[in-house]
Amino acid sequence: MKIAIMGHGVVGSGVVELLKLNSDFIKQKAGESIEVKKILDLKDFSELDYADKFTKDFNDILNDDEIKIVAETMGGLNVAYKFVKECLEHKKSVVTSNKELVAAKGAELIAIAQKNNINFLFEASVGGGIPIIKPLHLCLGANEIVEIAGILNGTTNFILTKMIDDNMSFDDALKLAQNLGYAEKDSTADIEGFDACRKICILSSLAFGKHIYPENVHCEGIKGISLEDVENAKKIGGVIKLIGRAKPTSDYKLEIMVSPSIIMNNSQLASVKDVFNAVLVRGNATGDVMFYGKGAGKLPTASAVVSDIIDVVRAKDNIDTLSWKDSNENNIVPYTDVVSDFYINILNPELKDISDFFANSSIISANENRQALVLKNTTLKSINEAEEKLNNIGIKILNKLNILDY
Amino acid sequence: MKIAIMGHGVVGSGVVELLKLNSDFIKQKAGESIEVKKILDLKDFSELDYADKFTKDFNDILNDDEIKIVAETMGGLNVAYKFVKECLEHKKSVVTSNKELVAAKGAELIAIAQKNNINFLFEASVGGGIPIIKPLHLCLGANEIVEIAGILNGTTNFILTKMIDDNMSFDDALKLAQNLGYAEKDSTADIEGFDACRKICILSSLAFGKHIYPENVHCEGIKGISLEDVENAKKIGGVIKLIGRAKPTSDYKLEIMVSPSIIMNNSQLASVKDVFNAVLVRGNATGDVMFYGKGAGKLPTASAVVSDIIDVVRAKDNIDTLSWKDSNENNIVPYTDVVSDFYINILNPELKDISDFFANSSIISANENRQALVLKNTTLKSINEAEEKLNNIGIKILNKLNILDY
């Protein structure tokens, strides 16, 4: 089986490396050997011992009838979208690690693949080396999925772990992540939650059958988390994690959001540390199932790409494309209406009595000019209304975090 | 699609219930509706609203050409083996939850299925509702599997959790497990580790390609664990778990065993509590991946059986049977030769100096007439040799446990 790789960055070069490293196992699983015939990349790789495979012209791949499978590991949206679409239209199966592409264009690309009787797979787009897309689709296929919640971004989980375990400030932890290569120089997509948001959108589209577009999903990053919040979370027996979650409601709407949230220590998600990712899936038959592993990195991500390639080879002409439908309707519950327990931290310089502002509240710490509260069963809308009134009497809410029960 | 179910116990009745409960989802995933045409069971179910489907005669299923898929949920070996084999020989695909059957006869049944171009699947045989068999086979297919370690039995994990968290004695915890329905009256298969042993054999056969027979595998249960051991484990920052593990060696042999072992608290396996199961898979590309969930129970196990049924329906004539070869050769490393760190607890009535008996040892507790030690990088063979000499001077080793590093 001859394949092409588009993009020879971290993941693409990892795919080449892995196909060589594990060639015996892969041949055994796939039933035939897999050969990289062409690699598309504009950079110069003339020093490599497989330099002869490189091309700078996409048409060299598109028009090569021997190439039946293309792995897209370029990342980014515009060029990747154009190339993947053309490959699918030319009846080449595509596997991709590109979450931005799948989150933005998944429904359209799936439809093209189905029309052309070929496969479009993207195991590597969520959770790096963790098997999650296929298990969610196949193994949990007998379940109504009741809820999904995940730690979907390794960079932010590393930073939060340093804040929690080592009392490191956000800025120092970010710098350390950058020095260790866990965060890029421009870490916006990680820190602001965009990366996690793309991933929860892909999982939700797959689980619930309709494309969920990231721009419709409330997405909140971890910049606003202080060591004070971390300390307060510990006081109630929890840790702060950046959680992407999705939950269908009884009236066929969807609660979906990405936000830093407090997870209690007895949850499996609480013990997921450093750059590790985990996805908890709650099925109506199977209960809570969790998938855990490295969510990024060269070989883990390449491992997911190659497993998709093997799948395509094995499937032969049996089309088993993962599938959801496009949808213009936005059936997402406004995030300010979602009912949850909340933690709030209040700057209250004169320590006024605020008990009238919040029903079902309990104080978890009060010192100097601060009060930290837990509010049971409320919404952000209610909290925001109270905040307006508090502001009028000179009291400021510093942070508001969901407390989740997994 | 018409199917039959053999065995209407906990799992079999769960399959009927789940096919009804989630019929819409299941139809959507499978591409057609799935109808239970016949159920084989010798007991009387005339009060059920689907009583008309029951038969006491296996031939009613075997000779019904409309039935293409048979779910075997009887358990046990002899009758199940005979029936499953005949179904496969009559070109009916079989899915099963029967770990005893797969561990004892897997290679033979797989070969029959392949010869007859049909499917033989057994997701439910390991980890109940946790997707593990297919992810190990498919999603991690690009990896050389370097090691597998799992908490594979919910009953023993529940008992150990009660001993660790509530200081409950083994006997009391077992009674509680029985009262809660987590343990059967005859709990031998759980307590002695036989159940976990079948499961690690199935996972190893799949991961390493050769049938591993349970009778060749060292299997040690949890009866010998005392609250003193639990306490000593805590002192070195660990917990005692019943671990099934398998690891290929560099000279093409396999270390495989089931034994109560000390797992350090920073391991993901340490936080797996109560009746939950978890399997850690270490791949040479993907690193550590863990699968977590309920390892038993009516609907979780039925969920895995039904996901296999859906797979068979979707596969149509594409055969995707999981596969390994039979093997008479026993390439298992004697468990007394496996190198590991160990914990030992010594009854030393006169508190004699025993430092000469063990190299690389450190004392973790010594009080009254006891000494608990950690021995680095040794084997049971070495410890047993020292034990003989110790016995001669009136010193007894009360327990020896592996300390594992996951």
Side-chain angles (χ1 to χ4, degrees):
Chain A
M1 175 62 69
K2 303 255 198 316
I3 70 162
I5 297 171
M6 302 195 295
H8 191 264
V10 173
V11 180
S13 63
V15 171
V16 179
E17 186 180 330
L18 188 56
L19 284 169
K20 196 174 168 192
L21 177 70
N22 286 353
S23 59
D24 288 350
F25 298 96
I26 292 167
K27 186 178 173 180
Q28 202 184 321
K29 290 277 178 183
E32 56 187 299
S33 61
I34 293 166
E35 187 202 324
V36 179
K37 189 172 177 192
K38 288 193 175 118
I39 303 172
L40 179 70
D41 204 299
L42 296 180
K43 292 193 291 301
D44 177 53
F45 292 99
S46 52
E47 85 286 1
L48 291 177
D49 63 3
Y50 51 95
D52 57 311
K53 297 184 189 293
F54 281 85
T55 173
K56 292 181 168 54
D57 183 359
F58 170 61
N59 289 310
D60 284 350
I61 290 172
L62 193 68
N63 298 323
D64 188 329
D65 289 340
E66 267 196 337
I67 294 170
K68 304 280 187 218
I69 303 172
V70 178
E72 185 271 304
T73 52
M74 308 161 60
L77 194 50
N78 297 332
V79 183
Y81 169 57
K82 179 177 178 294
F83 287 178
V84 167
K85 193 173 168 183
E86 286 192 47
C87 285
L88 293 172
E89 282 168 345
H90 277 69
K91 293 188 186 295
K92 295 181 194 301
S93 288
V94 173
V95 308
T96 180
S97 60
N98 188 336
K99 54 220 159 212
E100 201 178 346
L101 175 68
V102 179
K105 303 288 183 183
E108 182 190 348
L109 296 172
I110 286 168
I112 297 172
Q114 287 176 327
K115 204 184 74 186
N116 287 288
N117 258 4
I118 42 161
N119 287 289
F120 176 59
L121 298 175
F122 39 86
E123 182 63 61
S125 69
V126 180
I130 311 170
I132 173 65
I133 298 275
K134 248 166 285 172
L136 182 61
H137 183 63
L138 292 179
C139 309
L140 299 173
N143 282 263
E144 178 183 353
I145 304 296
V146 177
E147 193 161 357
I148 302 175
I151 294 170
L152 298 165
N153 179 273
T155 308
T156 46
N157 202 43
F158 176 83
I159 293 171
L160 289 170
T161 303
K162 288 291 151 194
M163 292 175 75
I164 295 164
D165 288 358
D166 301 342
N167 210 32
M168 203 179 268
S169 72
F170 172 83
D171 289 332
D172 287 349
L174 172 59
K175 257 176 234 152
L176 179 60
Q178 283 168 331
N179 288 342
L180 291 170
Y182 296 156
E184 294 174 57
K185 261 195 177 167
D186 177 3
S187 56
T188 313
D190 294 323
I191 300 302
E192 300 288 356
F194 303 147
D195 177 76
C197 187
R198 289 169 191 145
K199 291 167 179 169
I200 192 66
C201 285
I202 294 171
L203 292 175
S204 301
S205 302
L206 186 63
F208 309 120
K210 275 185 200 165
H211 195 112
I212 312 288
Y213 287 94
E215 55 266 34
N216 297 329
V217 173
H218 174 68
C219 179
E220 204 182 319
I222 64 163
K223 259 185 181 163
I225 303 298
S226 66
L227 286 174
E228 208 177 308
D229 298 321
V230 168
E231 216 41 56
N232 284 327
K234 281 184 192 169
K235 281 185 188 139
I236 56 168
V239 286
I240 299 175
K241 296 282 178 188
L242 183 65
I243 301 288
R245 58 196 168 109
K247 184 180 178 180
T249 64
S250 54
D251 55 348
Y252 304 103
K253 295 193 170 181
L254 187 67
E255 294 178 357
I256 177 168
M257 66 177 77
V258 172
S259 65
S261 309
I262 296 177
I263 301 288
M264 304 318 277
N265 285 331
N266 58 1
S267 161
Q268 277 293 310
L269 287 174
S271 60
V272 176
K273 293 191 175 189
D274 298 323
V275 292
F276 281 86
N277 283 198
V279 182
L280 182 148
V281 180
R282 190 166 281 176
N284 73 335
T286 199
D288 283 359
V289 168
M290 197 180 86
F291 304 87
Y292 166 93
K294 280 194 188 128
K298 185 177 186 167
L299 287 186
T301 310
S303 156
V305 173
V306 174
S307 86
D308 274 349
I309 295 173
I310 295 172
D311 257 27
V312 177
V313 176
R314 290 164 60 94
K316 301 217 165 65
D317 295 329
N318 203 33
I319 301 316
D320 198 20
T321 290
L322 309 162
S323 159
W324 63 73
K325 290 203 167 58
D326 206 356
S327 167
N328 288 317
E329 118 198 68
N330 179 354
N331 64 345
I332 297 173
V333 178
Y335 75 98
T336 49
D337 290 351
V338 173
V339 175
S340 171
D341 292 352
F342 278 87
Y343 147 87
I344 58 172
N345 193 21
I346 299 178
L347 179 64
N348 186 349
E350 294 166 43
L351 288 176
K352 291 175 187 157
D353 180 4
I354 52 160
S355 54
D356 286 351
F357 290 87
F358 301 104
N360 296 320
S361 69
S362 54
I363 293 178
I364 51 177
S365 77
N367 44 24
E368 297 163 28
N369 51 7
R370 293 290 165 84
Q371 270 169 286
L373 273 70
V374 168
L375 314 178
K376 288 275 173 193
N377 264 316
T378 184
T379 62
L380 258 186
K381 189 185 272 174
S382 303
I383 298 175
N384 292 344
E385 282 166 10
E387 187 176 20
E388 263 188 55
K389 293 178 198 157
L390 285 170
N391 287 345
N392 291 336
I393 57 166
I395 292 173
K396 206 179 149 192
I397 297 184
L398 297 170
N399 211 350
K400 312 160 198 168
L401 299 174
N402 287 283
I403 302 173
L404 303 178
D405 168 33
Y406 294 117
Chain B
M1 175 63 69
K2 303 261 199 312
I3 70 163
I5 298 172
M6 303 195 296
H8 191 262
V10 173
V11 180
S13 63
V15 171
V16 179
E17 185 180 331
L18 189 56
L19 285 170
K20 198 174 166 193
L21 176 70
N22 287 352
S23 60
D24 288 350
F25 297 96
I26 292 167
K27 186 179 174 182
Q28 203 186 319
K29 290 278 179 185
E32 55 186 299
S33 61
I34 293 166
E35 187 202 325
V36 179
K37 189 174 178 189
K38 285 189 179 127
I39 304 172
L40 179 71
D41 203 299
L42 297 179
K43 291 193 290 300
D44 177 52
F45 293 98
S46 52
E47 83 288 0
L48 291 178
D49 64 2
Y50 52 95
D52 57 310
K53 296 183 190 295
F54 281 86
T55 174
K56 291 181 166 54
D57 184 359
F58 171 61
N59 289 312
D60 284 349
I61 290 172
L62 193 67
N63 298 324
D64 188 329
D65 289 340
E66 265 197 338
I67 293 170
K68 304 280 187 218
I69 305 172
V70 178
E72 186 271 304
T73 52
M74 307 162 60
L77 195 51
N78 297 335
V79 184
Y81 169 58
K82 180 177 177 294
F83 287 178
V84 166
K85 193 174 168 181
E86 286 192 49
C87 286
L88 293 171
E89 282 167 345
H90 277 68
K91 294 189 187 296
K92 295 181 195 298
S93 288
V94 174
V95 308
T96 180
S97 59
N98 187 336
K99 55 220 157 215
E100 200 177 347
L101 175 68
V102 179
K105 302 287 182 183
E108 182 190 350
L109 296 172
I110 287 169
I112 297 173
Q114 286 177 328
K115 205 183 73 186
N116 287 288
N117 259 2
I118 43 161
N119 288 290
F120 176 59
L121 299 176
F122 39 85
E123 182 63 62
S125 68
V126 180
I130 311 171
I132 173 66
I133 299 275
K134 248 166 286 172
L136 182 61
H137 183 63
L138 291 179
C139 309
L140 299 173
N143 282 263
E144 178 182 354
I145 304 297
V146 177
E147 192 160 356
I148 302 175
I151 295 170
L152 298 165
N153 179 271
T155 308
T156 46
N157 202 44
F158 177 83
I159 293 170
L160 289 170
T161 302
K162 288 292 151 194
M163 294 175 72
I164 295 163
D165 288 357
D166 302 341
N167 211 31
M168 203 178 268
S169 74
F170 172 83
D171 289 333
D172 288 348
L174 172 59
K175 258 176 233 153
L176 179 62
Q178 283 167 332
N179 288 341
L180 291 171
Y182 296 156
E184 293 174 57
K185 260 193 176 170
D186 178 4
S187 55
T188 313
D190 293 323
I191 300 301
E192 300 288 356
F194 303 148
D195 176 76
C197 188
R198 289 169 191 145
K199 292 168 179 169
I200 191 67
C201 285
I202 294 171
L203 292 176
S204 300
S205 301
L206 186 63
F208 308 121
K210 275 186 200 165
H211 196 112
I212 313 289
Y213 288 94
E215 54 266 35
N216 296 330
V217 173
H218 173 68
C219 179
E220 203 181 321
I222 64 163
K223 258 186 183 162
I225 302 299
S226 67
L227 286 174
E228 210 177 308
D229 297 322
V230 168
E231 214 41 55
N232 284 328
K234 281 183 191 169
K235 281 185 188 138
I236 56 168
V239 286
I240 299 175
K241 296 282 176 190
L242 183 65
I243 301 289
R245 59 197 167 109
K247 184 180 177 179
T249 65
S250 54
D251 54 350
Y252 304 102
K253 296 194 169 180
L254 187 67
E255 295 178 357
I256 178 170
M257 66 177 76
V258 172
S259 66
S261 308
I262 296 177
I263 301 290
M264 304 317 277
N265 285 330
N266 59 1
S267 160
Q268 277 292 310
L269 287 174
S271 60
V272 176
K273 294 192 174 189
D274 297 321
V275 291
F276 281 85
N277 283 199
V279 182
L280 182 146
V281 181
R282 191 167 280 178
N284 74 335
T286 198
D288 283 0
V289 169
M290 197 181 85
F291 303 87
Y292 165 93
K294 279 193 189 129
K298 185 178 187 167
L299 287 186
T301 310
S303 156
V305 173
V306 174
S307 86
D308 274 351
I309 295 173
I310 295 173
D311 258 26
V312 178
V313 176
R314 290 163 61 95
K316 301 215 164 64
D317 296 329
N318 203 33
I319 302 315
D320 197 18
T321 290
L322 308 162
S323 159
W324 62 73
K325 291 202 166 59
D326 206 357
S327 166
N328 289 318
E329 116 196 71
N330 179 353
N331 65 344
I332 296 172
V333 179
Y335 75 97
T336 49
D337 290 351
V338 173
V339 175
S340 172
D341 292 351
F342 278 87
Y343 148 88
I344 59 173
N345 192 22
I346 299 178
L347 178 65
N348 186 349
E350 295 166 43
L351 288 177
K352 289 176 187 157
D353 180 5
I354 52 161
S355 55
D356 285 351
F357 289 87
F358 300 104
N360 295 321
S361 69
S362 53
I363 294 178
I364 51 175
S365 77
N367 44 25
E368 297 162 27
N369 53 7
R370 295 290 165 84
Q371 271 169 286
L373 274 69
V374 168
L375 314 178
K376 289 276 174 194
N377 263 316
T378 184
T379 63
L380 258 184
K381 188 183 272 174
S382 303
I383 298 174
N384 292 343
E385 282 165 12
E387 187 176 20
E388 266 189 51
K389 294 179 196 155
L390 285 170
N391 287 345
N392 291 337
I393 57 165
I395 292 174
K396 206 179 149 192
I397 297 184
L398 297 170
N399 211 349
K400 312 160 198 167
L401 299 174
N402 286 284
I403 303 173
L404 303 178
D405 168 33
Y406 294 118

